[in-house]
Amino acid sequence: QVQLVESGGGLVQAGGSLRLSCTASGRTFSRNGMGWFRQALGKEREFVAAINWNGGWTNHADSVKGRFSISRDNAKNTVYLQMNSLKPEDAAVYYCAARSVYYSSSVKREDYDYWGQGILVTVSS
């Protein structure tokens, strides 16, 4: 049974930092693209960041560029999202996702086949 489990969320003040982790179990994703998405209350799930299989390619949404950074450690089967200078508008449930195809990643939600259960990030002003 494949699982993606997010951790590291919580409550932070505006301007603060959090690091989200997503660890896979049940299979390795060391050759698969992975991504982070988020969904705020009453809004559609949106792309945040993506990374290819070896970390050689990353992409970040314009709204988080320069503040968030995606990375991965294939030895630990884990992908990270470092979030700095958090704003109230960053508050959302954050989801980790993995592709079943090898190597490339994507900014499109529909290109991902495995999803974590989500973790809440709350930013107080």
Side-chain angles (χ1 to χ4, degrees):
Q1 177 184 356
V2 177
Q3 280 191 308
L4 300 176
V5 179
E6 299 98 339
S7 61
L11 172 64
V12 64
Q13 284 191 328
S17 297
L18 284 175
R19 188 175 82 154
L20 302 183
S21 299
C22 170
T23 300
S25 62
R27 62 161 282 182
T28 177
F29 286 100
S30 60
R31 287 188 289 175
N32 303 84
M34 298 189 73
W36 287 96
F37 292 76
R38 68 186 181 186
Q39 187 167 15
L41 194 62
K43 295 189 176 181
E44 295 276 323
R45 191 172 300 189
E46 64 175 4
F47 167 74
V48 176
I51 188 167
N52 76 334
W53 72 284
N54 65 356
W57 176 90
T58 61
N59 192 309
H60 298 79
D62 287 344
S63 59
V64 307
K65 207 166 285 185
R67 301 186 298 120
F68 290 13
S69 179
I70 189 171
S71 61
R72 66 189 298 162
D73 184 338
N74 286 340
K76 296 181 179 179
N77 221 15
T78 298
V79 64
Y80 304 98
L81 184 68
Q82 178 66 44
M83 305 187 295
N84 299 327
S85 303
L86 280 158
K87 304 175 181 180
E89 53 263 43
D90 294 318
V93 176
Y94 282 72
Y95 295 90
C96 170
R99 303 191 71 191
S100 59
V101 297
Y102 286 158
Y103 307 127
S104 65
S105 193
S106 173
V107 304
K108 298 178 182 179
R109 188 175 65 186
E110 60 267 29
D111 288 342
Y112 289 84
D113 303 287
Y114 301 95
W115 290 85
Q117 81 287 352
I119 193 161
L120 181 63
V121 171
T122 305
V123 184
S124 63
S125 55

